[in-house]
Each structure stands twice: as C-alpha cells, then as structure tokens.
Amino acid sequence: MLRALGLSLVLLTMTATAADADAVVVYGDLQGGGMYGKATGGDAAVQDQAFFANVPNALWGLSVSGRFLFLGGTIQHQQFVGNGDLATWTQLTAGLDFAVDLGGDTPSAAPSDKDKKKERKGAYVHLTAGGGFGVGTGQQVDPPLDNAQIDDKAFLLQGSLGIGKHLGSFLDVGLSVPVTYGYFFKNGVPANDLSNHYQGIHVEALAYLRLYIKLL
C-alpha cells in the first residue's frame, strides 16, 4: 500500500513538473470565503474552547507563496469576521506545490494547448500538501505580533485542491478547498499540561485573485 502510494505520488509529481515549465515562481493571493471547523480530540472542556470551532465562519485573507519545481512554501494570514466578532490566524507551511494546465479542445486556427500554456491562458488544477505551524488570536493583531496576543498554537498538516483560470501573464482567479488537521495547545500553559491540548480539523472554501510572477 505504501509503495503504491509513493509511486503514485512520484508519477503525479513528474507529470505536474513536466506540465509546468515555470521552475521558480512567486505568487500572492487575495482570498475570501468561508470555513467550518471542529475539535476531534482532547478533554471535553478544552474542546469547547477549540479555536476554529468558535471563530466566525466568514473570512478573508492574504498569502504569499514561493515554488521551486514542485516544492513550495506559504505564509498566510486570515481574519475571521461575523456578528461583531473578529479573530485571526497566521501560519507558515511547506511541502508539495504544483499546478497542471488543463488545456482543452481548440479549433485548428486557434492557438494550441502548448501555446496557450506559454501565454498563460485556459484553466488549471492546483494541488498542495504539506505541514507547518500556526498561531491564532481572538482579536485584531497589533503589529508586531507577539506571544502575549496569541491564544492558540498548532502543528498542522494541510492538503488543498483548487481549480483556476489564467487571466493573462500575471493574474489568475480560482477556487481552492484546503483541509487542515492540527494538534493545538492553548498559549501560556506548560507544555506538559496535556489537559490544554486538543486536536481539530477545519475546511475552507476560498475564492482567490492571484498575482503570479515567474522568476525562472
């Protein structure tokens, strides 16, 4: 099973790398959408205080990512708003990151799929998978963010699937669905106090406008 999964991942990565000739890119997203989260483990009392189970469901955010071939990293900041409440989440993740252009049927007089890809036209699928670390606050951040403002911290595993459309050389629009599992702990408590540790999962649906810069 593990060998088959590893082989599938290698083949998918090779396909994505071959399909995407942009070796080094930087892209930034302006995001908006919704989120649903819940605690999946831990003491009942701390589950009731789970970060993503208690913040508002509407969100907007910004992210900046860099990708080398199929390896990428992202810094993301989100604000959750609703009913007069506000919370923030900031995370750093790294792992696999690749996009596959879908191409499509075109008349013989129209540009080929290869030309469309070179000109950044048409649709694409974007996949990411990795891990990282995040921190959450129950109020607006007063820069610079320091430990006193943080309510929850978490180690994260995240995968996302998205579909987008190239608008030109530097702009994309799309929709992505990240699914994130986290091992959380309340800030300001001793690390060995497991009663303040909990596990949780949250799912987001994000529309984005992307600024895409090819460096190599």
Side-chain angles (χ1 to χ4, degrees):
M1 177 67 73
L2 291 177
R3 288 183 179 179
L5 180 60
L7 180 59
S8 299
L9 181 60
V10 169
L11 290 175
L12 183 59
T13 299
M14 292 174 62
T15 301
T17 304
D20 189 349
D22 298 348
V24 182
V25 300
V26 175
Y27 58 92
D29 290 358
L30 175 62
Q31 306 165 338
M35 178 279 306
Y36 172 77
K38 62 177 294 185
T40 59
D43 289 352
V46 74
Q47 285 193 49
D48 290 340
Q49 304 172 38
F51 183 84
F52 285 103
N54 286 281
V55 299
N57 298 110
L59 71 93
W60 71 274
L62 299 168
S63 69
V64 177
S65 304
R67 182 173 70 226
F68 172 66
L69 296 179
F70 55 86
L71 300 176
T74 298
I75 299 174
Q76 182 180 52
H77 178 75
Q78 295 177 320
Q79 294 200 341
F80 302 86
V81 294
N83 298 322
D85 296 328
L86 186 147
T88 76
W89 182 258
T90 304
Q91 68 181 41
L92 173 64
T93 54
L96 299 177
D97 181 334
F98 45 84
V100 180
D101 283 339
L102 297 179
D105 297 329
T106 58
S108 57
S112 66
D113 288 346
K114 182 177 180 180
D115 290 335
K116 287 173 65 179
K117 179 178 180 299
K118 184 177 180 180
E119 297 175 8
R120 285 182 46 79
K121 294 182 179 180
Y124 64 91
V125 173
H126 186 202
L127 302 98
T128 67
F133 185 77
V135 297
T137 74
Q139 68 284 323
Q140 180 64 269
V141 172
D142 183 15
L145 177 64
D146 58 30
N147 192 60
Q149 300 181 63
I150 297 171
D151 295 331
D152 293 66
K153 300 178 180 178
F155 294 100
L156 308 170
L157 292 175
Q158 184 179 80
S160 72
L161 172 63
I163 185 165
K165 180 175 178 59
H166 302 305
L167 298 181
S169 300
F170 301 104
L171 285 178
D172 298 339
V173 293
L175 177 68
S176 67
V177 181
V179 179
T180 308
Y181 170 83
Y183 185 91
F184 295 79
F185 46 99
K186 291 294 181 180
N187 193 39
V189 300
N192 60 356
D193 184 358
L194 299 183
S195 66
N196 282 285
H197 293 203
Y198 65 96
Q199 301 84 52
I201 187 169
H202 65 280
V203 181
E204 299 174 351
L206 301 175
Y208 64 82
L209 176 66
R210 174 170 297 171
L211 175 65
Y212 183 98
I213 301 174
K214 175 183 176 180
L215 301 179
L216 184 64

